[in-house]
Each structure stands twice: as C-alpha cells, then as structure tokens.
Amino acid sequence: MIEKMTRYDFILLSENKEAFISRLGELGVMDITRSAKPVDDTSEALLQEINALRDDIQRITKGRDAHLKALQAEKADLDKEAESLSHWGDFDREKLLSLGVPVRFFCVPEKSFDKSWEESFPLQVLDSSKGKIWFVVFGDGSLPVPSIPLPSRSVGEVQACIASKEAEIAAYTKELEDLKDTLPELREKEKALSAELNLYLAKVGCEEAADNALVVYEGFAPSTEHERLAKVFDTLPCIWFSAEAVVEDNPPIKLKNNRFVKQFETLTDMYGRPDYNEFDPTPYISVFFLLFFAMCMGDAGYGLLLIIGGILLRKVESMKNLAPLVTILGVGTFLVGIVMHTFFGVDISTLSWIPSWMKAVMITGTIGGFEAQMVLSLVIGIIHLCLAMVVKTVYATRNKGFLGSLGVWGWTLLIVGGVIVGAAALFSLLPPEVTKWIIIVLGVVSALGIFLFNDIHRNPLKNIGSGLWETYNTVTGLLGDVLSYLRLYALGLAGGMLGKAFNDIAAMTLGDGSFGIGWFTFAIILIIGHALNLAMCCLGAFVHPLRLNFLEFFKNSGYDGKGRGYRPISN
C-alpha cells in the first residue's frame, strides 16, 4: 500500500539553513523537494567520487571491467595468430631475409597440391592437416597457386607474447580477488557519500526570499511520523506549517507492505512507482508473478533447485537481497510443478508409487477437447484481467466520484459481470430464465454507462462517438489480452518436453544397463541438459510473467506508474 504523506513548509533565516538541514538529516525521514537540481563544483565532485566507487565495486564483484576484457581479447587474438603460425614452425624472419634467396610461403587445399612440384622446385612441405598443406619454395619459379606474405613474426615470438599476456591477466585477476576484502568498506563509503550528496542537494535546492535573507523549504514525511516531528520542529529556529499531502503536491511515494509482498517491490520499481492517487500494484504482482513464474517453469524438480539456490545466495554478499525472492519463487515452482505433475521432465502422474492424495491435486486430461492445463491458463488470465478492471473501477470511483466514472463502471459490469454470469450458467447455478434477464439488465445498464454517460459533462453525441471508438479498442484488445495467457501453458509445456527429451537421450546411453561408461554418459547428459533447460526456463519464466503484469494487467487497471520514489535525507 501507499503510505500517507504529510507536507511540511519551513521558513527560516538563511544563516540557519546549515544547522537546519543537518537536524533534518538526523531525523532521517524528511524528503526535501528540490526547487532546482543545482550542479556546482561540490555536487559534481561528490558525484564523480560516488561513480568512481560504484565502478570499483562493479569491477571487483563482476571482474568484467573494460581493462580485463581488453586483455582477454588481446590474448584471444594472439591465440589465433599462434594457431595460424604453428604450421610454419619456429623460424628466424631476419635470417630468412638475409639469405639473399627468395622464400615464398604457400597454403593450398590438399586436393590442389601437385606432387610433381617437389621435383620441379626447391620445395619443403612443413605441415599437412585439416585438408590443407603448408609449404615453402626457395628461389624463383612460378607456381599455379598464389603465395601468401611472409609472416611478420614466428610462432615462438607469438607464444612468448601469449605467456606475457597470461601473466598480466593472472596478475590483474589476483588484484581483483585481493580487492574483494575491501568491498564492505567501499559500499559503506559509497552509501555515506550518496547520503551526503542527497543532503547537499536538499540544502542548496531551497527557494530564497526577502533579498536572500530567508529560505523556504518544502518536504514530505510519512504521516505516522508527524507527532514525533512536530515536537522537534517546535524547537528549531524556523516557522513551519503542515498539511495532509495531496496529488497536486507530487509527494514522494513510500510503499508499505508485509514481508512477503515487500520482496516484489523491486519488480514494481522496474516499471515505476504509482502516483499518489493510484494503487500499489505490488500485492497483485506478488501473487500473480509468483503464480505465472511457477506455471512457466512447471517443474517441481526445478523448484527444488531454486530453493537450494536461494539458500546458497544468502551467503553471497552482493546477492543476499535477492535470496528470499529466489526461495519464494522456488517454493511456488515446486508446488505448481506437483500440480502440473512434472519432476525433472518426468510425468509423475503415471508413477504407481505416487500417493493418491497427491494425484488428486494434479491437473490432467482434457476439458471440452482441450488440454486441461491450457484451459487453466486462460481461466487464470480472465480472472487476472477481471481483477484489473475491478481495481480500475474502485480507484476511478475514489478519484473521480461515482458520476465521473460511469464509463468505467459500464465496462466492468459488462465484462466482469458477464464472466460471472457465464460461469454461473455454465455450472447450472442459475435457472436459464434468470440468466437471460440478468444478461439483459447488465447489457442495458452497461450500454448507458459506455455510450451515454462516459462523461456526464460532455455532449451525448460526443459520448456515443467516444463509446463506439472505445468499444472497438476494447473488443479487439481484450481478445488478444486473454490469448496472451496461453504463454503460461506453452512455456510450461515446452520446458517439460525438453526435460523429457534430455531424459530420453540420456537413457539411450545406458544400453543393457550394466555398470560402465554408459552410466557416466547418462549422468553427464542429464546434468548438462537439465542445467541448460533450467536456465532457459528461468529466462522465459521471468520475462513473460513480467509482461503479463506490466502490459495486460496495468493496461486494464489503468495503472500509470509515474510517481517519484521516497528519498529521505540522512546524515
């Protein structure tokens, strides 16, 4: 949920602003609005120092900075050069040039080499491999094949360069490893400098008045802190005012969620924090992203691996913040994998030793001639979209009032109400005559909201035109939105089939099943195959559920996501 904010306005003498900002920094909850974003020597120096620290941290943690990449690229080029020169052997280029006899180098396909050349020319074959022949010819004489330029250096010289480059890479890599011990100190320094920059920008971002004798600050803090802050502000050399923040103030957004939902706030921030009058999408993302991720993975065995991976990530300093989320996704994948009856590509619903209570929760067979899992994906998609419309209606009513949101109510009644009535009729929960009248009433009421009262302050003819255009967009877009959820079934099916394929390929290597090299090959194929499948499944299971939330859900819920984050100043 979005935490309520209180707006504060402060007026004080310019000479007191240093001590004032310092005191606010001690409180640690005040987000100061910057009337400008000044760039001066102080802020520029701080920013450069922060960026340098972040580069050092990135360089140490990843070991993939530009310098190391350049060294590795140079060694790769030397390796290729050594490979091409190895066919000529180790020769002294200067000595060859000083012989006074032309020395020409040739490389031709084996089928193009004529044995009679060895009798007609002073020719020496140096190497023969990969369907090619490398040879040199001393003196003049014309061959029917073109020569190649004299190599600029010998393979021995290049190998010496390779050894030197390897030593340089090893030394630099060791330097990176040794610097890992400094990571905690670097992170603390970067955090302190970021806080100092934030504090500085807040201090110089004030508005000046009365010929610069006075300064005016605007800030926001959670309303739950008001009582504590009021006592402190009364002791400060300033005049202050407070009021409940409104949308027009553009207050910063602080999200307040429970421990489970909080793990998914990172995903919300990837799209954008809500405006102050919007809803926090994180609770919805937490449930549906977890469900969608698990369905796209669709394998209980992979869920166990993610759980183990999440536990191990807790011991990695740079990744420990992601560890709980990975563990949660692993638990969801394991449970949904059981329902989808797949364990490392094996269909466990066919195993005789699986208990009957577990088989009872597995989704198998067909519904109306379609795979039950495919139907489930579409049903979940419809529920997801209906929830988005309900959320949109609730917040439209809260922000615009009931009369100002009649158009939204019309669409929600038509679609969500139609889905509910259709489901009730499908399961024979309502008599046919009652169902008919409910549909008629829903249709009439929805049509009034969509075509006549979508904007009560506008000409009815304009409302009709707007309603027709919105009807076209909704009908064409909604079908595509629903079908988008088929990816949940398709990705889960693809991952399961690929896992099964690796199992079948591995089983082929066992032969008669006797202990030997076959079992070793069997294990290697299983490990490598499922590792590749797990990596591909994780990629798809992250991207596509994110799309279903960011595109389908946000579009139908009216989510904008242009709010600014809450950044309190601190010393």
Side-chain angles (χ1 to χ4, degrees):
M1 60 178 290
I2 300 173
E3 192 161 348
K4 292 293 182 183
M5 287 283 168
T6 298
R7 170 181 167 171
Y8 296 89
D9 293 281
F10 306 93
I11 304 174
L12 62 150
L13 295 173
S14 297
E15 61 193 44
N16 294 329
K17 71 178 183 179
E18 294 277 353
F20 176 75
I21 288 294
S22 178
R23 188 69 180 95
L24 291 185
E26 293 174 4
L27 295 173
V29 295
M30 182 63 66
D31 184 308
I32 293 294
T33 302
R34 284 72 180 243
S35 59
K37 293 185 178 179
V39 178
D40 53 23
D41 292 341
T42 302
S43 60
E44 185 177 4
L46 282 170
L47 186 58
Q48 287 179 352
E49 193 171 354
I50 290 169
N51 287 335
L53 284 170
R54 288 174 178 171
D55 289 342
D56 286 342
I57 292 170
Q58 181 77 3
R59 179 167 62 93
I60 296 169
T61 53
K62 301 296 184 182
R64 297 176 181 173
D65 66 307
H67 182 58
L68 183 58
K69 286 183 177 179
L71 291 176
Q72 292 170 337
E74 289 172 11
K75 181 183 176 296
D77 290 340
L78 289 171
D79 288 336
K80 291 179 182 177
E81 185 178 357
E83 167 65 20
S84 64
L85 292 173
S86 63
H87 306 289
W88 306 115
D90 196 7
F91 60 87
D92 188 332
R93 189 175 189 277
E94 297 300 324
K95 189 174 181 180
L96 282 177
L97 292 174
S98 65
L99 290 176
V101 177
V103 181
R104 289 172 295 159
F105 290 70
F106 294 87
C107 176
V108 298
E110 195 172 311
K111 62 181 180 181
S112 300
F113 185 77
D114 190 342
K115 293 283 187 180
S116 64
W117 293 347
E118 295 180 276
E119 300 175 2
S120 305
F121 301 95
L123 180 151
Q124 177 65 50
V125 175
L126 300 178
D127 193 13
S128 177
S129 62
K130 300 179 182 179
K132 293 183 179 180
I133 295 178
W134 288 260
F135 63 94
V136 294
V137 174
F138 295 89
D140 297 323
S142 178
L143 284 177
V145 292
S147 63
I148 60 177
L150 173 66
S152 60
R153 52 184 174 176
S154 68
V155 66
E157 293 172 319
V158 176
Q159 287 173 342
C161 292
I162 291 174
S164 175
K165 193 63 65 178
E166 287 175 342
E168 189 177 353
I169 292 173
Y172 188 69
T173 304
K174 185 178 184 302
E175 179 187 346
L176 292 178
E177 290 296 324
D178 293 341
L179 287 174
K180 283 188 177 180
D181 294 336
T182 66
L183 274 177
E185 180 184 349
L186 291 175
R187 287 196 175 102
E188 283 299 318
K189 188 174 180 181
E190 187 268 338
K191 184 178 178 181
L193 285 175
S194 296
E196 182 181 348
L197 178 61
N198 192 23
L199 195 66
Y200 176 78
L201 292 176
K203 180 177 67 177
V204 299
C206 62
E207 294 182 3
E208 297 177 338
D211 294 329
N212 299 334
L214 298 177
V215 292
V216 180
Y217 284 103
E218 176 191 82
F220 296 88
S223 298
T224 53
E225 299 281 349
H226 178 68
E227 188 174 341
R228 176 174 76 96
L229 293 176
K231 293 179 181 179
V232 176
F233 295 157
D234 286 338
T235 66
L236 297 178
C238 69
I239 298 174
W240 66 278
F241 307 91
S242 67
E244 183 179 337
V246 294
V247 178
E248 290 73 21
D249 296 329
N250 189 28
I253 306 302
K254 182 182 181 184
L255 303 180
K256 184 180 180 181
N257 293 301
N258 60 42
R259 188 175 178 182
F260 169 73
V261 175
K262 197 172 185 64
Q263 302 300 323
F264 295 85
E265 287 182 3
T266 302
L267 302 181
T268 299
D269 287 338
M270 289 175 64
Y271 187 90
R273 292 214 166 184
D275 293 328
Y276 196 60
N277 64 337
E278 283 191 307
F279 64 96
D280 177 10
T282 314
Y284 307 102
I285 290 176
S286 65
V287 173
F288 284 98
F289 181 85
L290 175 59
L291 176 61
F292 295 165
F293 182 94
M295 291 181 69
C296 289
M297 294 292 288
D299 193 297
Y302 293 167
L304 286 178
L305 293 181
L306 288 176
I307 294 172
I308 295 171
I311 294 173
L312 294 177
L313 283 178
R314 294 176 186 272
K315 300 179 181 180
V316 181
E317 184 65 28
S318 60
M319 302 290 288
K320 64 188 306 181
N321 291 335
L322 288 176
L325 179 59
V326 174
T327 304
I328 291 171
L329 294 176
V331 172
T333 300
F334 175 77
L335 295 176
V336 172
I338 295 296
V339 175
M340 300 300 181
H341 52 85
T342 304
F343 189 87
F344 286 115
V346 177
D347 184 356
I348 57 177
S349 67
T350 62
L351 302 178
S352 59
W353 51 269
I354 297 294
S356 57
W357 64 266
M358 186 178 291
K359 288 187 177 181
V361 302
M362 296 179 183
I363 298 176
T364 58
T366 60
I367 297 176
F370 299 98
E371 289 288 335
Q373 294 180 10
M374 183 179 74
V375 175
L376 176 65
S377 297
L378 292 176
V379 170
I380 290 175
I382 292 171
I383 294 173
H384 196 218
L385 295 176
C386 286
L387 177 62
M389 293 178 183
V390 171
V391 170
K392 181 179 182 178
T393 305
V394 169
Y395 281 87
T397 305
R398 191 191 73 173
N399 295 329
K400 300 179 181 179
F402 178 71
L403 294 179
S405 57
L406 289 177
V408 179
W409 272 98
W411 281 112
T412 302
L413 286 174
L414 180 64
I415 296 173
V416 178
V419 168
I420 294 173
V421 172
L426 183 64
F427 293 101
S428 302
L429 299 178
L430 293 174
E433 190 67 20
V434 174
T435 301
K436 182 182 75 173
W437 279 107
I438 291 177
I439 292 174
I440 292 172
V441 172
L442 277 178
V444 172
V445 173
S446 298
L448 290 174
I450 294 170
F451 295 106
L452 291 180
F453 303 119
N454 52 62
D455 188 340
I456 59 173
H457 303 294
R458 192 167 53 186
N459 186 303
L461 293 177
K462 289 184 178 181
N463 282 345
I464 292 174
S466 174
L468 289 172
W469 176 249
E470 191 173 354
T471 299
Y472 170 76
N473 289 330
T474 302
V475 171
T476 56
L478 198 60
L479 178 61
D481 291 344
V482 172
L483 294 178
S484 289
Y485 290 85
L486 283 174
R487 70 188 69 230
L488 300 176
Y489 166 71
L491 288 171
L493 178 65
M497 293 180 66
L498 194 56
K500 182 179 182 301
F502 284 121
N503 292 341
D504 292 342
I505 294 171
M508 294 177 186
T509 64
L510 291 177
D512 59 3
S514 58
F515 185 77
I517 190 66
W519 281 99
F520 176 77
T521 308
F522 173 80
I524 292 297
I525 292 176
L526 280 185
I527 292 172
I528 295 177
H530 281 290
L532 290 172
N533 195 29
L534 175 62
M536 290 188 291
C537 286
C538 284
L539 179 61
F542 178 79
V543 173
H544 291 282
L546 212 58
R547 180 192 185 278
L548 291 174
N549 281 283
F550 285 2
L551 187 59
E552 275 72 18
F553 184 80
F554 283 0
K555 179 180 70 174
N556 287 283
S557 65
Y559 182 73
D560 195 17
K562 294 182 179 179
R564 64 186 182 95
Y566 171 63
R567 295 186 301 158
I569 59 175
S570 60
N571 292 339

